[in-house]
């Protein structure tokens, strides 16, 4: 019983959690969400650019995209954050002052873009080549066919993987503490770690973990729901494709663009 009480007091001390809760709600949670959201937005845009360049027929676009992806997927996240956050700190100091968030967001965005680019690329390549050929037969150029027909279908297929990457970003945002954070810049992990170091009790760190679970577990269920709906949609599309003329059907976005061009 003594061992059980010790474990309970070390990890689940209600008073220690209550003491850390205000800072986590007021400072840690907003900072964590800011890091994750901005990194996800920038990483998604860069990832789409990487995917398009990686599928390009021009070597001058394809090879740099592949090298970028291999480098930032191969480096540990902590190494990338330190290289960018510390290496570019003098430059950032003159622009926005002693705030590590912009460089932290940049590092997280570059890491995310490498993974998101591969997610987009695999989704685009999974679209049947007949879709692009049908678009070309209707008068679309190759870039227009990719933009209006192939890419929307590819993005739809990889939505679950994109949400999974956002979940990974939320967790990786805790590594920004390597850059040194002021009291008002601490995220959930840093607040929990500071409280645990000051009191010798790990309950505040457990509370930080609970916050991460509250954010990521619902997103995981969202991923599962999206995946089920997409699987049902693909089965429905497959059934319609078996009907006469179904194999030549274009994506709804292409049908809309065709109808608009014909007016």
């Amino acid at each position: 019983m003594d061992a059980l009480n010790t474990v309970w007091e070390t990890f689940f001390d209600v008073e220690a959690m209550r003491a850390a809760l205000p800072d986590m709600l007021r400072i840690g949670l907003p900072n964590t969400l800011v890091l994750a959201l901005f990194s996800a937005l920038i990483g998604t845009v860069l990832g789409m650019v990487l995917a398009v360049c990686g599928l390009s027929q021009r070597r001058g676009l394809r090879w740099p995209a592949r090298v970028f992806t291999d480098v930032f997927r191969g480096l540990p996240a902590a190494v990338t954050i330190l290289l960018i956050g510390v290496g570019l700190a003098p430059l950032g100091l003159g622009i926005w002052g002693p705030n590590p968030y912009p460089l932290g967001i940049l590092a997280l965005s570059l890491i995310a873009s490498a993974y998101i680019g591969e997610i987009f690329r695999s989704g685009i390549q999974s679209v049947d080549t007949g879709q692009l050929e049908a678009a070309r037969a209707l008068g679309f150029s190759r870039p227009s066919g990719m933009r209006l027909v192939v890419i929307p279908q590819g993005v739809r297929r990889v939505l679950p993987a994109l949400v999974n990457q956002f979940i990974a970003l939320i967790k990786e945002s805790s590594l920004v503490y390597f850059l040194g954070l002021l009291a008002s810049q601490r995220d959930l992990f840093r607040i929990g770690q500071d409280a645990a170091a000051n009191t010798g009790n790990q309950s505040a760190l457990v509370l930080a973990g609970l916050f991460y679970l509250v954010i990521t577990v619902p997103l995981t269920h969202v991923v599962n729901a999206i995946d089920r709906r997409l699987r049902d949609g693909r089965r429905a599309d497959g059934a319609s494709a078996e009907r006469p003329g179904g194999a030549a059907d274009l994506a709804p976005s292409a049908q809309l663009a065709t109808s608009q061009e014909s007016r």
Side-chain angles (χ1 to χ4, degrees):
M1 290 298 294
D2 290 339
L4 184 59
N5 288 334
T6 300
V7 170
W8 183 265
E9 292 175 359
T10 301
F11 295 101
F12 302 101
D13 188 333
V14 176
E15 291 302 322
M17 290 184 177
R18 186 177 300 166
L21 183 60
D23 283 345
M24 289 194 177
L25 288 173
R26 182 170 51 89
I27 300 173
L29 182 59
N31 286 339
T32 296
L33 293 178
V34 164
L35 285 169
L37 287 174
F38 278 93
S39 300
L41 290 174
I42 298 172
T44 299
V45 174
L46 292 177
M48 178 57 74
V49 173
L50 285 173
V52 173
C53 291
L55 293 171
S56 175
Q57 296 176 343
R58 300 179 181 178
R59 289 186 178 181
L61 295 176
R62 188 172 66 251
W63 281 106
R66 295 303 306 161
V67 171
F68 180 96
T69 300
D70 289 342
V71 168
F72 283 99
R73 289 182 71 193
L75 287 175
V79 173
T80 302
I81 290 172
L82 283 173
L83 286 175
I84 294 175
V86 177
L88 299 181
L91 177 63
L93 192 63
I95 299 175
W96 50 71
N99 186 354
Y101 271 27
L103 291 177
I105 290 173
L106 174 62
L108 290 173
S109 299
L110 294 177
I111 296 168
S113 67
Y115 289 94
I116 292 174
E118 284 298 282
I119 291 171
F120 279 142
R121 188 170 69 89
S122 63
I124 293 170
Q125 288 181 321
S126 71
V127 178
D128 190 88
T129 55
Q131 291 288 315
L132 182 58
E133 293 171 358
R136 296 296 300 275
L138 289 173
F140 287 92
S141 64
R142 178 181 173 82
S144 296
M146 290 291 293
R147 179 170 55 87
L148 295 172
V149 180
V150 178
I151 291 179
Q153 294 182 74
V155 171
R156 177 189 171 192
R157 295 183 180 188
V158 298
L159 280 177
L162 288 176
V163 179
N164 278 330
Q165 184 59 40
F166 180 62
I167 292 173
L169 265 179
I170 293 174
K171 294 182 289 186
E172 288 178 351
S173 66
S174 63
L175 297 175
V176 175
Y177 88 94
F178 285 138
L179 304 182
L181 301 174
L182 301 176
S184 60
Q185 298 168 343
R186 295 176 300 168
D187 63 342
L188 289 170
F189 169 73
R190 187 62 181 179
I191 291 174
Q193 186 188 46
D194 287 346
N198 292 333
T199 63
N201 189 291
Q202 304 300 312
S203 300
L205 202 54
V206 171
L207 180 62
L210 292 176
F211 269 96
Y212 283 109
L213 289 176
V214 168
I215 298 171
T216 58
V217 169
L219 286 176
T220 302
H221 290 290
V222 168
V223 170
N224 294 334
I226 292 174
D227 193 36
R228 284 194 299 270
R229 291 197 63 175
L230 292 181
R231 284 202 305 269
D232 294 341
R234 282 196 291 269
R235 283 197 291 267
D237 291 343
S240 65
E242 292 176 358
R243 297 196 300 268
D249 288 344
L250 276 176
S253 58
Q255 295 173 1
L256 177 60
T258 304
S259 64
Q260 290 174 344
E261 290 181 358
S262 63
R263 292 176 183 175

